[in-house]
Amino acid sequence: MQAGCEKLQPRKTIYLMKPILLFFLLPIAVFSQKLSRPELIRCEATAKNVTIIRDNWGIPHVYGNTDADAVFGLMYAQCEDDFKRVEMNYIVKLGRLSELNGEQDLYNDLLIKMLIDSAEAVSDYNRAEPWMKQLLNAWADGINFYLYKNQQVTPAMITRFKPWYPLLWTDGSIGAINTADITTTDLKNFYSGEAPDHTMIETEIDQQTGSNGFALGPSKTASGSAILYINPHVTFYFRPEVQVVSHQGLNAYGAVTWGQFFVYQGFNEHCGWMHTSNNVDVADTYLEKVSEKNGKMNYEYEGAQKPVTEKMIALRYLEAGTLKTKNIKAYYTHHGPVMAVRNGKWISLRSYNRSIISLAQSWKRTKANGFEDYKKVMDMLGNTSNNTVYADDKGNIAYWHGNFIPARDPSYDWSKPVDGTIAGTEWKGLHRVAQTVHLYNPVNGWLQNCNSTPFTVAGNNSPLRGNYPHYMAPDGENFRGVNAVRLLSKGHNYTIDKIIADGYDTYLSAFEILLPALVNSFDMSLKPTDSLYAPLKDMMDVLRTWDYRSSAGSIATTLAVEWAYAVSPAIQKVYISQDENDQVERTRQFAASASAAALLQPLLQVKIDLVKRFGKWQMPWGEVNRFQRIANEAQDRFEDAQPSMPVGFTSALWGQLPSYNSKYYPNTNKRYGVSGNSFICAVEFGKRIKARSLLAGGESGDPTSKHFSDQAEMYTQGRFKEVLFYKEDVLKHIERKYHPGG
């Protein structure tokens, strides 16, 4: 999942947040616990030090005396907006999803428990520096005080939040669990004791998603100030918009992932940070040579036998209204947990999926006061899942491709399992930031990343691929990257409005390659007497005159997008392994080699499907492609009969910079959006911060709130609101001002 950019690593990430919740089907009612008298006194005292101001969009501006006060207020505000999402993120990270959803999620839970050790999280909490422990305590107090003050809220499972929980999830990315190429099917096949399940095919992660980050230096802007464009593509409503301020130097605005206490993508008075996901190799699999002797498992290492560590893991799951327990004996080598078996060899995984260093880095970046300070934060090397696009008030722009990158012998192909019996395949420490792919203040004056190769991050002024080991940047080019380079190369005198306009460019660059191949196949392969000619001619006439831009009124967009999804899954793959062709090259190869039948038959099927759904094939994209906000994706479902709005944007998969990923459901004839543009923001770092932002739908997860959908129409049209960063501006737009619990 998600870059989170959102982090959306294809072959390397497993999504664990399946939205199949049974909130109202638990066998036993659960109620919020009472706070003890000392706890209540502490929380009420903290609440007096916190003021939450909700502006006219419902955005919480949280002001605290200390950083810990601000965290307390932030968590209280998050719970007000969507407690269910806050809780669900920690149900997942605790490995307890099966207690809600049943046995179907058993191996998701097993994976979490094998990779994220709660005992280690508790140990980290106990040994944490005082400043960190204060934040963690405030985090738990803020949520628990919310539950105490809102007894009508019934948690699905967690009635008491513990201060070590944030140490289970130390990265704000949507897909922060990195498993190399291991899947939950691998895990099930190894540990279930059943025959391997070959019917449960896990496909590549949804390659339609990702993120865009742009940074413009003074030479490219009208004001001479740097501009940052923040455009994560994630599951809708995965992050709310917030501001947190304290008298200890905290003043961060942006998107915070539900249940976390740091602004993940955003800015402060001095600098801003945007994260995009990548394919940097940060987790590796090892082929272990295992044998059994006297009932004990051993594995070979450097010619000697070492004992396999065994650990019993208890998994609870819901079945017929009753919680049952399944005990699984898990195995570990010094590389990490054993996750699969292939060709008779056990596969272990080495990874870095939670760390107090990562959490500290996530917090400290929000308080960086400029470029040198931000670079010190990057030197912590705790960010395992993101690229960073940066801009600041001194005009600096910068890009880092990854951060936590183990040093390894480059003669091995690290995209595949390596020999675990020898020391030569061990990690050799971490690469220093100076050794990683990065770029500061390029002469062209702009930087971009769209989950694409870092070797086009600044056009012709980009880092050179040959200067780095392959595992450091295996990412290929994609069509968004092509489009971003095209726009930023020719753009000048940028303002916030202009960068938003470029960020919402609807040009679908993939069709520069795909559509000529389709047209040529029709013209060269079909005669008027052929059976396909008449059914396709009118559709081809529409496509011939298309300008490759999507819009709500475009019939050509409907035909092209539906056809492109149908022709070949290969052109939808964005992330690559070593020596694979990237998306752009694969698409070129497909267009050059595809047979006429492979191109034309899918178009005929599109016509058949459209007529079946709508009674005609001449469907404008906005009538097919809709935005409908529902109360709870787990329990509610999209319905054609309910109100929805037309959306002219498409998946970013085809090169469009704004992302809107929609799909058909079994009970719908129309497409409904599920992910893509979420929190979007453009910020200019002048003498005063200027910024504009937009959310998918609205701030609140409560369908009875006016802020559930007050940004919905704006969202479908790409119309932004002014960001209220300074308190004097916030005070002019007060909807509600209160202390937590007040």
Side-chain angles (χ1 to χ4, degrees):
M1 85 216 220
Q2 305 190 64
C5 135
E6 273 18 12
K7 168 145 182 185
L8 298 164
Q9 291 197 18
R11 61 181 181 82
K12 296 226 168 192
T13 307
I14 292 177
Y15 286 99
L16 303 167
M17 297 181 59
K18 296 185 179 179
I20 309 172
L21 315 182
L22 303 177
F23 287 116
F24 305 109
L25 300 180
L26 292 178
I28 303 172
V30 287
F31 301 96
S32 301
Q33 293 183 9
K34 300 287 186 182
L35 294 179
S36 68
R37 184 64 180 165
E39 289 173 331
L40 182 57
I41 291 172
R42 182 179 71 242
C43 288
E44 288 185 333
T46 302
K48 292 177 182 179
N49 295 329
V50 179
T51 299
I52 301 173
I53 301 178
R54 296 275 183 176
D55 66 24
N56 53 305
W57 295 103
I59 309 302
H61 303 260
V62 182
Y63 302 90
N65 288 344
T66 66
D67 288 353
D69 293 339
V71 166
F72 177 97
L74 173 62
M75 299 318 302
Y76 192 96
Q78 282 191 46
C79 291
E80 288 182 304
D81 286 333
D82 207 326
F83 172 76
K84 288 181 179 179
R85 281 189 164 84
V86 171
E87 183 189 19
M88 179 50 57
N89 280 344
Y90 287 95
I91 289 174
V92 171
K93 290 302 183 288
L94 286 163
R96 299 182 63 186
L97 197 57
S98 300
E99 294 178 43
L100 290 180
N101 294 348
E103 201 168 4
Q104 66 186 28
D105 284 314
L106 202 66
Y107 291 93
N108 284 335
D109 287 348
L110 177 62
L111 184 142
I112 285 289
K113 287 179 178 290
M114 293 180 73
L115 298 184
I116 300 179
D117 191 325
S118 59
E120 291 179 359
V122 172
S123 178
D124 278 350
Y125 169 76
N126 290 331
R127 293 183 287 106
E129 294 181 46
W131 70 268
M132 174 62 81
K133 187 167 287 189
Q134 289 169 6
L135 299 183
L136 293 168
N137 289 339
W139 176 90
D141 280 350
I143 302 176
N144 292 329
F145 189 58
Y146 168 81
L147 290 175
Y148 172 80
K149 285 290 186 177
N150 294 271
Q151 295 287 322
Q152 78 283 3
V153 174
T154 303
M157 182 182 298
I158 306 174
T159 59
R160 175 61 65 101
F161 285 74
K162 299 178 182 179
W164 53 267
Y165 284 3
L167 289 162
L168 299 170
W169 190 17
T170 54
D171 184 313
S173 175
I174 190 171
I177 304 300
N178 198 298
T179 62
D181 61 350
I182 299 294
T183 69
T184 49
T185 300
D186 287 324
L187 204 64
K188 180 179 180 181
N189 287 342
F190 186 83
Y191 282 107
S192 69
E194 303 169 0
D197 183 356
H198 298 298
T199 64
M200 194 174 150
I201 300 173
E202 296 191 35
T203 59
E204 295 268 342
I205 285 186
D206 188 355
Q207 301 296 347
Q208 303 170 44
T209 50
S211 297
N212 303 332
F214 307 150
L216 303 168
S219 66
K220 294 288 283 187
T221 66
S223 66
S225 299
I227 292 176
L228 180 67
Y229 186 69
I230 298 169
N231 182 203
H233 301 165
V234 296
T235 304
F236 288 164
Y237 328 122
F238 190 74
R239 296 189 180 100
E241 183 174 348
V242 304
Q243 183 178 20
V244 278
V245 185
S246 80
H247 294 154
Q248 292 184 315
L250 175 68
N251 189 359
Y253 192 107
V256 58
T257 305
W258 293 113
Q260 295 188 318
F261 60 78
F262 54 87
V263 172
Y264 179 66
Q265 290 160 323
F267 59 93
N268 60 33
E269 295 167 290
H270 303 290
C271 61
W273 53 95
M274 166 59 198
H275 297 305
T276 60
S277 57
N278 59 43
N279 208 28
V280 175
D281 194 329
V282 298
D284 291 311
T285 50
Y286 290 83
L287 294 164
E288 306 286 8
K289 189 175 181 181
V290 181
S291 60
E292 184 177 358
K293 185 176 181 180
N294 298 326
K296 298 291 185 181
M297 303 301 296
N298 299 285
Y299 66 101
E300 181 180 321
Y301 186 71
E302 286 293 294
Q305 294 294 310
K306 300 184 69 172
V308 172
T309 300
E310 299 178 355
K311 178 181 176 182
M312 292 302 299
I313 296 178
L315 300 171
R316 287 159 62 85
Y317 62 96
L318 189 68
E319 182 176 282
T322 301
L323 282 176
K324 296 186 176 181
T325 300
K326 185 179 183 70
N327 294 307
I328 291 180
K329 183 189 291 184
Y331 300 102
Y332 300 77
T333 72
H334 73 278
H335 294 124
V338 176
M339 308 290 283
V341 60
R342 294 175 188 166
N343 299 321
K345 290 191 175 182
W346 287 13
I347 308 291
S348 63
L349 173 70
R350 184 166 187 182
S351 60
Y352 188 75
N353 283 311
R354 51 137 250 110
S355 163
I356 195 169
I357 296 173
S358 176
L359 184 59
Q361 183 171 356
S362 296
W363 174 261
K364 288 186 175 183
R365 77 165 71 103
T366 70
K367 298 184 69 174
N369 59 22
F371 193 32
E372 295 306 316
D373 204 18
Y374 201 93
K375 285 192 286 186
K376 291 178 182 177
V377 174
M378 293 297 292
D379 286 338
M380 296 175 71
L381 303 178
N383 184 347
T384 60
S385 67
N386 298 128
N387 308 316
T388 303
V389 183
Y390 169 95
D392 68 25
D393 60 353
K394 297 296 188 293
N396 295 298
I397 61 174
Y399 176 77
W400 294 271
H401 196 74
N403 183 240
F404 171 94
I405 306 178
R408 287 155 284 199
D409 184 340
S411 65
Y412 292 97
D413 181 354
W414 292 94
S415 67
K416 298 179 175 63
V418 294
D419 188 349
T421 68
I422 57 175
T425 56
E426 298 293 345
W427 289 359
K428 299 171 174 60
L430 298 178
H431 284 284
R432 292 176 288 107
V433 171
Q435 298 173 315
T436 65
V437 186
H438 66 281
L439 189 60
Y440 304 153
N441 296 317
V443 295
N444 56 293
W446 57 265
L447 292 164
Q448 65 81 29
N449 186 261
C450 300
N451 313 110
S452 46
T453 173
F455 306 120
T456 60
V457 68
N460 294 331
N461 299 285
S462 303
L464 298 177
R465 185 184 300 273
N467 292 342
Y468 304 93
H470 192 278
Y471 61 74
M472 194 172 282
D475 315 75
E477 189 59 278
N478 61 42
F479 288 108
R480 274 183 295 132
V482 170
N483 205 11
V485 170
R486 175 182 65 85
L487 288 167
L488 295 174
S489 295
K490 67 180 183 180
H492 58 88
N493 291 328
Y494 274 98
T495 61
I496 287 180
D497 287 340
K498 182 171 172 52
I499 194 60
I500 288 173
D502 274 8
Y504 271 75
D505 186 82
T506 61
Y507 190 74
L508 296 162
S509 50
F511 290 102
E512 288 182 346
I513 298 171
L514 291 170
L515 199 55
L518 176 64
V519 171
N520 186 64
S521 288
F522 181 85
D523 291 344
M524 302 301 293
S525 302
L526 297 183
K527 299 177 181 178
T529 55
D530 290 335
S531 60
L532 275 179
Y533 186 89
L536 297 184
K537 182 181 183 304
D538 290 345
M539 301 170 73
M540 293 301 304
D541 289 344
V542 171
L543 289 169
R544 287 177 195 277
T545 59
W546 186 42
D547 62 0
Y548 304 153
R549 293 188 178 277
S550 74
S551 69
S554 170
I555 295 173
T557 302
T558 304
L559 300 179
V561 169
E562 299 286 15
W563 169 76
Y565 277 125
V567 290
S568 173
I571 64 176
Q572 299 179 39
K573 183 180 179 183
V574 174
Y575 293 100
I576 62 174
S577 297
Q578 187 166 323
D579 300 324
E580 287 184 341
N581 289 325
D582 62 29
Q583 184 198 19
V584 176
E585 183 56 33
R586 279 197 310 275
T587 302
R588 288 196 180 104
Q589 292 177 351
F590 171 78
S593 62
S595 66
L599 295 169
L600 296 173
Q601 286 291 345
L603 185 60
L604 178 62
Q605 189 60 48
V606 167
K607 183 176 186 178
I608 293 170
D609 291 343
L610 288 172
V611 171
K612 181 179 179 180
R613 289 179 181 276
F614 303 104
K616 61 180 181 179
W617 63 264
Q618 301 94 333
M619 290 298 298
W621 181 236
E623 293 185 28
V624 176
N625 195 48
R626 311 292 290 185
F627 179 80
Q628 183 180 92
R629 186 162 192 189
I630 55 180
N632 188 318
E633 295 78 33
Q635 296 168 337
D636 298 343
R637 63 181 188 177
F638 297 103
E639 294 183 9
D640 292 338
Q642 296 301 314
S644 62
M645 298 178 183
V647 179
F649 310 121
T650 74
S651 166
L653 180 65
W654 312 117
Q656 184 172 112
L657 292 178
S659 176
Y660 188 79
N661 304 312
S662 61
K663 59 183 181 180
Y664 296 112
Y665 287 81
N667 61 305
T668 71
N669 284 320
K670 299 177 181 179
R671 285 179 166 271
Y672 292 94
V674 292
S675 65
N677 280 13
S678 50
F679 166 77
I680 318 104
C681 184
V683 54
E684 182 175 86
F685 296 93
K687 292 182 179 180
R688 282 177 61 88
I689 293 289
K690 296 179 182 178
R692 298 175 67 193
S693 67
L694 184 59
L695 276 177
E699 176 75 11
S700 176
D702 180 0
T704 67
S705 168
K706 68 179 182 180
H707 301 305
F708 181 73
S709 57
D710 57 345
Q711 296 182 56
E713 184 176 2
M714 297 162 58
Y715 176 78
T716 63
Q717 299 173 9
R719 292 189 287 113
F720 283 51
K721 64 185 184 295
E722 295 295 328
V723 164
L724 304 173
F725 183 74
Y726 296 99
K727 193 169 185 179
E728 59 265 31
D729 294 325
V730 176
L731 292 173
K732 295 174 185 177
H733 298 83
I734 293 178
E735 180 176 273
R736 183 183 173 209
K737 180 179 179 180
Y738 58 102
H739 300 297

